[in-house]
Amino acid sequence: MHFYASQAPQAPQAENADGSGGPQTALLIMHGHPRDANRSFNAALDAARRAGRLDETLVIAPLYQVASDKAERCRTKGTPAPEPGDALWTCGSWLAGQNSQAGAGRTPINAIAALDALVAHIHQRWPSVHHITLAGFSAGGQMLQRSIGFAQPAPAGVSLRYVVADPGTWLYFDPLRPQPQRAGRDVDWAACSDGGCDYRMQLPEVASCPGYHDWKYGTQALPSSLGPTAAQARERYRQADIHYLEGALDNHAGKGTSYGALDKSCAAMLQGPFRRQRGEGYAAYVAQVLQPARPQPLSTVPGCAHDVACVLPSDAARPALFGSLP
């Protein structure tokens, strides 16, 4: 896998006995559907710079490669083209945690396993790094959120934090879905465009949306390549250090929301009509049903719609990305 990096790998002698001599933390940012790893990298650099953490933070932005003749709908100018031997996915398979393609001397690897391998590579090449924050925006947020319960444990001496920002859809670990309420009464999702709704969890009408709890929206019909069972993944997710970010203006179908790329399938619409509402409903599900071992807070980013360059460097995102690290 190609990846952008803000610092060169450390020489073995660069790290002192006390672990100093290099970056202590890393911020890994997962690109969106256009595979805009370069733009995501710049947004993460800006976030670290504004937080005053650029010198001590290694910024990494991986690129999930797609064959050039299949990348028309997910190509960003300025990112490198695939090279012989690269793992290759399709425009949609990497974000669903699927295997890369076989052939031409390539052994398939699951997209989540590839992310695990990159975490291990960071630990090996930058041994001073003892904390890694993995952040994902939009489709990268989808892939990252789905990976949490199925990822390998962190390397020894390394702690992981996850920041899931503006994903189009979410992985639920139970067949329940959110029903918005105001003053104790069920309301339409439209009443929640600017927040202020409560949510109760309910079983949707399965007949109207068969397969709504299948992977990648739920934990039925899990691909065997993922490894852990649904119950194991659910518990791993409960124990993880996770923060959520939603652009306050990512709540409608207008300009700046990339609404055309939003998943509008039946299974997706059961989670809410737009990204902000889907995120708020999921945060309620986490608090009410998953009841994680530590809080998994949701922060709303004022003034931002669906733009990684707005969301990541914001003041509202800073505590999630850089605050209270072990």
Side-chain angles (χ1 to χ4, degrees), residues 60-232:
I60 295 282
L63 175 62
Y64 279 83
Q65 285 287 15
V66 174
S68 297
D69 61 347
K70 298 180 179 179
E72 181 179 353
R73 300 180 63 183
C74 61
R75 179 186 289 114
T76 293
K77 185 177 180 180
T79 56
E83 297 179 359
D86 285 353
L88 298 175
W89 286 266
T90 66
C91 286
S93 65
W94 66 270
L95 65 93
Q98 296 179 8
N99 283 349
S100 62
Q101 299 171 347
R106 295 186 302 270
T107 300
I109 182 172
N110 184 273
I112 296 173
L115 184 58
D116 290 337
L118 180 54
V119 169
H121 182 75
I122 292 171
H123 177 60
Q124 178 185 20
R125 299 298 299 274
W126 289 271
S128 63
V129 169
H130 298 295
H131 179 87
I132 302 175
T133 294
L134 296 95
F137 182 81
S138 192
Q142 285 192 56
M143 190 275 178
L144 183 65
Q145 192 261 337
R146 289 173 172 88
S147 77
I148 297 171
F150 299 92
Q152 291 295 312
V158 176
S159 64
L160 300 180
R161 169 178 289 183
Y162 299 91
V163 179
V164 180
D166 288 284
T169 60
W170 299 80
L171 173 67
Y172 279 76
F173 295 90
D174 302 89
L176 303 168
R177 296 296 182 270
Q179 167 60 50
Q181 292 188 319
R182 280 185 180 271
R185 295 185 178 182
D186 290 355
V187 296
D188 187 81
W189 281 99
C192 308
S193 60
D194 292 320
C197 282
D198 298 316
Y199 297 89
R200 68 176 179 86
M201 300 300 134
Q202 66 174 7
L203 287 171
E205 180 56 53
V206 178
S208 65
C209 194
Y212 81 94
H213 193 51
D214 289 351
W215 178 265
K216 63 186 176 82
Y217 308 97
T219 52
Q220 291 181 345
L222 288 178
S224 59
S225 60
L226 292 177
T229 65
Q232 290 170 332

